[in-house]
Amino acid sequence: DTEVTQTPKHLVMGMTNKKSLKCEQHMGHRAMYWYKQKAKKPPELMFVYSYEKLSINESVPSRFSPECPNSSLLNLHLHALQPEDSALYLCASSQDLPGQGTYEQYFGPGTRLTVT
Amino acid sequence: AQKVTQAQTEISVVEKEDVTLDCVYETRDTTYYLFWYKQPPSGELVFLIRRNSFDEQNEISGRYSWNFQKSTSSFNFTITASQVVDSAVYFCALSEVGTGGFKTIFGAGTRLFVKA
């Protein structure tokens, strides 16, 4: 099973709302990622979890709050977003072999977020 | 610093034509991975191939082939006898083992249109 699932597929939220994006994988991968992708741009890394610990935060505003409850799940909590945060949010996972780098990432279908 | 350049923003071909997507990378690390991903209109990034810096063997998979040349820091991707289903955005990406490998830098992407 090489599938990464994400829910919801689409989300419209107001600037005062609180919502969460969810991601799940059952490939036994120990590295999980959140990316943001604007139209006609490449994915931009937001967060990386390795063995359920936050390894990388690419200076993401605090209105985005990641959580990794266990090795299969990754959440992104959203609060007080701005219209410019509207984008496709992609989750990915990969093997994590210490000292050997990261292998290929498997991506979910993404959540298309619109902030009104 | 690591960098990936995909100079071709858009390419348009007619079905059955061969097409080559160019990728040039920069890195100071001696150990790194190179990747190609496909992003069809549905939005999900699909992993196509991984190459490590010590393996310059070219690879062929069906209609797809990849040419990795360290001397020119290039990792080009050729689709033979293109089909309409090949229409997508293709991203070349680089991951350095020295930085932990979690940061994958994507090129800007090449949008391929294959017309029937």
Side-chain angles (χ1 to χ4, degrees):
Chain A
D1 183 6
T2 57
E3 189 179 50
V4 177
T5 59
Q6 287 187 245
T7 55
K9 288 188 177 179
H10 300 273
L11 178 63
V12 179
M13 60 185 290
M15 290 190 284
T16 58
N17 291 160
K18 284 185 182 181
K19 297 286 184 183
S20 296
L21 309 185
K22 296 185 185 302
C23 174
E24 188 167 7
Q25 59 90 12
H26 294 288
M27 293 178 277
H29 290 168
R30 303 310 296 269
M32 294 187 75
Y33 310 74
W34 280 115
Y35 287 88
K36 173 182 177 180
Q37 188 178 25
K38 301 284 264 187
K40 298 194 176 183
K41 295 288 185 183
E44 295 175 42
L45 183 65
M46 299 175 72
F47 303 103
V48 181
Y49 274 83
S50 173
Y51 290 82
E52 295 130 65
K53 291 190 176 164
L54 185 64
S55 289
I56 294 178
N57 176 342
E58 288 287 271
S59 303
V60 178
S62 59
R63 57 186 184 268
F64 296 91
S65 175
E67 178 196 19
C68 190
N70 60 55
S71 60
S72 300
L73 292 174
L74 186 65
N75 298 323
L76 186 63
H77 303 298
L78 314 172
H79 173 55
L81 294 192
Q82 304 297 311
E84 59 263 30
D85 296 322
S86 298
L88 180 67
Y89 288 83
L90 294 162
C91 173
S93 70
S94 71
Q95 291 183 333
D96 176 8
L97 304 175
Q100 296 183 43
T102 303
Y103 283 9
E104 59 274 13
Q105 294 174 39
Y106 291 87
F107 285 81
T111 294
R112 196 162 294 279
L113 173 68
T114 302
V115 181
T116 61
Chain B
Q2 51 180 184
K3 185 179 177 183
V4 177
T5 302
Q6 294 180 256
Q8 303 149 309
T9 305
E10 289 187 359
I11 301 175
S12 185
V13 299
V14 176
E15 215 171 15
K16 297 185 184 175
E17 279 186 39
D18 298 347
V19 58
T20 295
L21 310 182
D22 297 332
C23 173
V24 174
Y25 63 93
E26 293 177 31
T27 178
R28 292 179 183 168
D29 210 335
T30 56
T31 306
Y32 52 89
Y33 293 103
L34 294 164
F35 308 88
W36 276 96
Y37 289 89
K38 173 182 180 180
Q39 188 172 36
S42 59
E44 182 172 344
L45 272 88
V46 177
F47 162 73
L48 296 178
I49 190 171
R50 165 174 53 92
R51 260 290 174 264
N52 74 49
S53 51
F54 299 111
D55 182 3
E56 283 192 76
Q57 267 196 330
N58 292 330
E59 182 154 339
I60 298 175
S61 176
R63 298 184 296 106
Y64 295 171
S65 61
W66 292 270
N67 184 322
F68 175 28
Q69 290 194 344
K70 284 178 78 171
S71 60
T72 56
S73 297
S74 65
F75 186 41
N76 296 336
F77 173 28
T78 298
I79 301 175
T80 303
S82 60
Q83 299 176 1
V84 172
V85 292
D86 296 326
S87 296
V89 180
Y90 291 87
F91 292 100
C92 181
L94 165 70
S95 172
E96 293 174 336
V97 174
T99 56
F102 291 123
K103 286 194 181 184
T104 297
I105 301 300
F106 288 83
T110 296
R111 187 174 297 271
L112 175 65
F113 296 97
V114 181
K115 295 180 276 192

